[in-house]
Amino acid sequence: MNTLTLKKLSLVAACVGAGLAFSSAAHALPTLDPLNIGGTPSGSGAGLAGTWYKVDNTAHFSNYSYTETDPTSSRYGQTDAIKNFSWGSGIWAATDIADMAAGNNPYVTSTASTLGAVSYSNNIYNNTVSSGGYGNPWAPDYNRTLTPIVGGANSCSVSTETTTACAGEQNYAAIFTGYIYVATAGVYDFGVFADDGFLFNLLGANSTSLAMAHNSVVGSPGRDMYSLANENGSTGVNLGMGYYGIDLSYFNREEAGVIDLGWRGPGATAWSVIDNNVLYNNVPEPSSIALIGMGLLGLWGSRKSRRSAHRAAV
């Protein structure tokens, strides 16, 4: 989480590509057709492929556009890349991740890789009971897989987060890519539980996709849960049987960090983390499709919001 007083930022989810039409009527159900990459899987999946990046906490590199609204500041009213403000170090937006993935961020200090379900958190989150104060839509809590980029288990918590020993818990990002297999056609919803920010895309046939995002720390509610259906103005998404692409970028700036990717299937009322057995980092006939991947980051415009007082709660 960030150290600013947080105010919810509403982002309009983007629809990428041709052929996906949305009705203006309330609760319209968008439809995605599966990618044409084969039939029933021959075996269980192993999870999405994840690439993790840790950056220097003191480095200034974010190009997120910000307007200073503090009347006591010498830069009051000025709009600039947030890296050019004295306090603007570290990651400020999910759109900062593109340069990390492209090798254009010289402040990346380490990388790591994972393969599995997307359910990770840092030590500060896992060790702080109050971390669940915002409400996690799916259980269990406080025992997620440790984000690999922060190192091994340690005693860092909200009470010790500012110590030198806990510096590695901050300013890291990840990109998850792969496929999900839908065995039963019907109405689904996908959810992301994140602290601090993310960009998510579910990819279907004919270059269609559905997306949701919480891009920036600025104006952020911090830890929150987002629904693909809600962010697209519907009550669900019609999916046929088959494979769909998943592209998820995520970052944590400071304090507690957590990311979960879950779903609700036809007729389900409860959320659950998506199991490894339906997630694939590759599938048969991979040449027949291509994930949009990090190119999607360019479609998300940054929004200006105000910087305010420090937040006390994790």
Side-chain angles (χ1 to χ4, degrees):
M1 286 174 58
N2 60 82
T3 58
L4 305 176
T5 296
L6 304 175
K7 178 180 180 182
K8 185 159 186 176
L9 173 65
S10 298
L11 292 176
V12 178
C15 170
V16 182
L20 182 60
F22 295 95
S23 168
S24 60
H27 307 305
L29 293 181
T31 297
L32 282 180
D33 294 324
L35 299 165
N36 185 22
I37 52 176
T40 303
S42 58
S44 295
L48 298 182
T51 303
W52 298 79
Y53 307 88
K54 174 72 179 71
V55 297
D56 185 341
N57 295 335
T58 64
H60 288 241
F61 55 82
S62 177
N63 288 311
Y64 183 83
S65 181
Y66 170 77
T67 300
E68 179 61 86
T69 59
D70 182 357
T72 67
S73 171
S74 62
R75 300 198 61 181
Y76 176 62
Q78 294 182 19
T79 299
D80 200 351
I82 211 163
K83 67 184 178 183
N84 294 326
F85 290 87
S86 61
W87 42 263
S89 60
I91 307 173
W92 284 86
T95 44
D96 293 335
I97 304 172
D99 280 345
M100 300 179 202
N104 296 328
N105 186 327
Y107 306 109
V108 173
T109 58
S110 59
T111 61
S113 61
T114 54
L115 186 62
V118 179
S119 183
Y120 298 92
S121 58
N122 65 1
N123 287 295
I124 294 175
Y125 184 94
N126 281 343
N127 293 338
T128 305
V129 174
S130 62
S131 288
Y134 288 81
N136 182 4
W138 43 79
D141 214 344
Y142 316 120
N143 61 351
R144 288 169 181 78
T145 301
L146 184 64
T147 297
I149 209 68
V150 304
N154 60 44
S155 60
C156 292
S157 67
V158 66
S159 63
T160 60
E161 64 191 24
T162 60
T163 64
T164 301
C166 298
E169 301 283 321
Q170 306 168 15
N171 287 294
Y172 59 83
I175 301 169
F176 303 96
T177 57
Y179 307 89
I180 184 169
Y181 183 76
V182 173
T184 303
V187 177
Y188 288 79
D189 195 6
F190 289 77
V192 171
F193 178 61
D195 184 343
D196 285 303
F198 73 94
L199 306 176
F200 172 81
N201 291 272
L202 182 67
L203 312 174
N206 302 314
S207 299
T208 59
S209 76
L210 283 172
M212 59 178 166
H214 177 68
N215 182 38
S216 175
V217 170
V218 179
S220 166
R223 189 176 314 122
D224 213 339
M225 185 269 179
Y226 300 81
S227 155
L228 185 63
N230 288 345
E231 296 295 310
N232 284 276
S234 69
T235 57
V237 181
N238 279 317
L239 300 178
M241 185 178 70
Y243 291 97
Y244 295 82
I246 288 179
D247 181 13
L248 172 61
S249 298
Y250 160 72
F251 77 96
N252 177 63
R253 174 172 161 73
E254 293 181 343
E255 302 180 7
V258 62
I259 178 70
D260 279 334
L261 174 61
W263 67 344
R264 293 189 298 200
T269 57
W271 292 96
S272 62
V273 173
I274 302 174
D275 291 334
N276 280 358
N277 61 353
V278 296
L279 294 173
Y280 296 78
N281 65 312
N282 56 59
V283 293
E285 302 177 38
S287 61
S288 62
I289 66 164
L291 284 181
I292 297 175
M294 292 304 297
L296 285 167
L297 292 178
L299 299 172
W300 299 94
S302 57
R303 283 184 60 174
K304 303 178 185 70
S305 189
R306 66 179 182 181
R307 170 172 153 262
S308 51
H310 289 277
R311 183 190 183 101
V314 62

